[in-house]
Amino acid sequence: DNQGTYYIGDCGNNENQRRDLKIFTFRPDAPKQVGIINFHYPDQTEFPPQKKQRNFDVEASLWHDGQVWLFSKDRAQDRASKVYTVPAQPGTYTAKLITSLAIPGQVTDAALRADGHRLVLLGRGELFILDGSTWADILKATPRVVSLRGAGQTEGAVFKDNGTLLIST
């Protein structure tokens, strides 16, 4: 975040059966002081749910404006990434479902450009770009798709600057 706090998600949920989802927080200047954000999804009532409802696995997250934003990796194949938020403060929360994005792939990471006008969601072999003048506009934008065919299993994305996106495989 803009105060130097790091957020490390322990919210991978491949089988959609976990109940112990959390995000660890720490600052490099005090690495032994670790906070924990515990959370659950308001719309998950079965552990695991039926296969066609398995959209509770999150690998992609980012901090923005005092919230940790979570982007689901759709295992239900309904071609959508659910977007949730939790406060960026240690505690126990029910994640807030904000919207669902029309993403036809499994989201593996998310990155927000420093100017706040571009969100990228990384999938396996593709990149989804959402632009807008505000965060609300970005979350309503139609994603542009860029093929990353041949790049391997793409798992990480971060903006180096407003003109450079780094992707790891």
Side-chain angles (χ1 to χ4, degrees):
D1 65 16
N2 57 3
Q3 301 298 311
T5 302
Y6 284 75
Y7 300 84
I8 300 174
D10 181 10
C11 45
N13 194 9
N14 288 347
E15 302 300 320
N16 285 244
Q17 62 189 6
R18 288 187 59 195
R19 296 175 190 250
D20 61 339
L21 306 172
K22 59 186 67 112
I23 300 164
F24 297 98
T25 68
F26 77 96
R27 293 178 51 95
D29 58 356
K32 292 184 180 182
Q33 296 176 6
V34 176
I36 301 175
I37 301 168
N38 296 291
F39 69 94
H40 67 274
Y41 300 110
D43 51 338
Q44 183 175 12
T45 58
E46 296 179 58
F47 298 87
Q50 296 176 17
K51 285 189 178 185
K52 64 182 180 177
Q53 297 173 339
R54 291 187 183 179
N55 200 345
F56 300 102
D57 181 17
V58 169
E59 290 183 14
S61 64
L62 58 83
W63 177 91
H64 176 68
D65 198 25
Q67 300 284 315
V68 177
W69 293 79
L70 306 163
F71 301 85
S72 73
K73 181 178 185 179
D74 179 19
R75 293 188 178 278
Q77 303 303 315
D78 62 3
R79 305 175 72 77
S81 176
K82 292 182 182 181
V83 181
Y84 298 89
T85 63
V86 292
Q89 302 295 324
T92 299
Y93 304 99
T94 299
K96 182 177 179 182
L97 178 58
I98 302 300
T99 192
S100 183
L101 301 174
I103 302 294
Q106 294 186 348
V107 176
T108 58
D109 203 3
L112 181 64
R113 200 167 65 184
D115 67 5
H117 296 291
R118 174 168 287 169
L119 169 68
V120 296
L121 299 175
L122 186 61
R124 292 188 175 183
E126 54 207 350
L127 184 71
F128 305 94
I129 302 170
L130 297 95
D131 291 315
S133 57
T134 67
W135 183 245
D137 289 344
I138 287 172
L139 293 179
K140 293 177 189 170
T142 300
R144 288 185 293 131
V145 181
V146 175
S147 174
L148 300 175
R149 185 172 302 170
Q153 184 172 322
T154 50
E155 293 282 342
V158 63
F159 280 99
K160 179 179 177 183
D161 54 47
N162 283 346
T164 308
L165 178 70
L166 303 175
I167 297 171
S168 66
T169 62

